Amino acid sequence: DTIVHFAAESHVDRSITGPDSFIETNIIGTYSLLKAAKKIWIDVPKASGQKPVEHRFHHVSTDEVYGTLSATDPAFTEETAYAPNSPYSASKAASDHLVRAYHHTYGLAVTTSNCSNNYGPYHFPEKLIPLIITNILQDKPLPVYGDGQQIRDWLYVEDHARGIELVLNTGRVGENYNIGGHNEKTNLEVVTTICEILDELVPSEARGVKCKDGAPLTTYSSLITYVADRPGHDRRYAIDASKMSKELNWNPIETFETGLRKTVQWYLDNQA
């Protein structure tokens, strides 16, 4: 009687080079789930003279559907107009609209949450934080797009999971909820913080890591390499999660510092 729809293509870079799978998974995939849920929970009972099954369809979305912010703009709220800027965020925006339409047209009991950047254990290595950790452990360059000053709000994955559970149990049907970590950081800050944690936990000199000139590498931040910015790179995302806090009594437990340290330690303990 419950579906929590996490499944998505979610890497902006790959949506730029190959958008087809994002349209297929994020739009057609969401439509397929909505169609199946409506059939089983509403149509089949109705055809036999029964009431619809009590149910909930929760759709997990992203802050990227709201577009980009300047340094001084207020954070995204649930009332912020959609303005997606990449094939990824456009496909997620489309899926959000389909979920809304299935509620308003067919009465499907839906909720949607729009979260900021997640991080934590088991994160796929294409994303920034696990990429930087794994590259350091493999003595590879640490790529940073453009000037590294793009700002993201970082949400520890377990805080996100708690938020979704609260929306499922006590959230209002038909509502959207923004879930954010209250941790706005530039990409460069994220990278240098990871370097500092690993400098402490597994010093490069103790591992015998060398610079290109053969000298010992004294800090992992020396591996930072600035690369060409990606097309249409949004400058800043920020989530106003006050609706979650006021209505559902949710607030993140992890600070960026505690969550990131847990994450780095997990990758050290699970290198295989």
Side-chain angles (χ1 to χ4, degrees), residues 86-140:
S86 70
Y88 161 60
S89 55
S91 68
K92 288 297 288 185
S95 68
D96 292 6
H97 292 322
L98 282 170
V99 172
R100 174 187 169 88
Y102 263 69
H103 171 62
H104 284 276
T105 301
Y106 302 115
L108 199 70
V110 308
T111 44
T112 296
S113 55
N114 296 80
C115 69
S116 54
N117 282 35
N118 278 220
Y119 70 101
Y122 296 99
H123 206 175
F124 195 65
E126 70 184 0
K127 299 300 181 78
L128 177 64
I129 287 176
L131 176 70
I132 296 303
I133 297 169
T134 53
N135 276 19
I136 287 174
L137 296 176
Q138 295 170 10
D139 309 324
K140 292 180 178 179

Side-chain angles (χ1 to χ4, degrees), residues 92-231:
K92 288 297 288 185
S95 68
D96 292 6
H97 292 322
L98 282 170
V99 172
R100 174 187 169 88
Y102 263 69
H103 171 62
H104 284 276
T105 301
Y106 302 115
L108 199 70
V110 308
T111 44
T112 296
S113 55
N114 296 80
C115 69
S116 54
N117 282 35
N118 278 220
Y119 70 101
Y122 296 99
H123 206 175
F124 195 65
E126 70 184 0
K127 299 300 181 78
L128 177 64
I129 287 176
L131 176 70
I132 296 303
I133 297 169
T134 53
N135 276 19
I136 287 174
L137 296 176
Q138 295 170 10
D139 309 324
K140 292 180 178 179
L142 311 179
V144 173
Y145 279 132
D147 60 4
Q149 296 305 304
Q150 302 86 1
I151 294 170
R152 300 293 182 263
D153 174 40
W154 292 93
L155 174 65
Y156 190 66
V157 64
E158 290 184 9
D159 282 329
H160 185 201
R162 282 192 307 105
I164 289 171
E165 188 172 37
L166 279 169
V167 173
L168 278 175
N169 292 332
T170 58
R172 290 182 287 143
V173 171
E175 289 291 311
N176 285 48
Y177 294 90
N178 283 351
I179 307 179
H182 308 319
N183 289 309
E184 286 189 57
K185 304 288 181 184
T186 68
N187 286 348
L188 188 58
E189 281 182 279
V190 173
V191 174
T192 54
T193 304
I194 294 170
C195 290
E196 289 165 5
I197 294 171
L198 284 169
D199 281 340
E200 173 196 333
L201 297 178
V202 284
S204 56
E205 290 173 293
R207 293 176 57 230
V209 184
K210 304 287 187 184
C211 298
K212 286 182 180 178
D213 61 6
L217 186 78
T218 57
T219 173
Y220 293 118
S221 60
S222 300
L223 297 172
I224 292 173
T225 305
Y226 292 93
V227 298
D229 209 353
R230 71 182 177 207

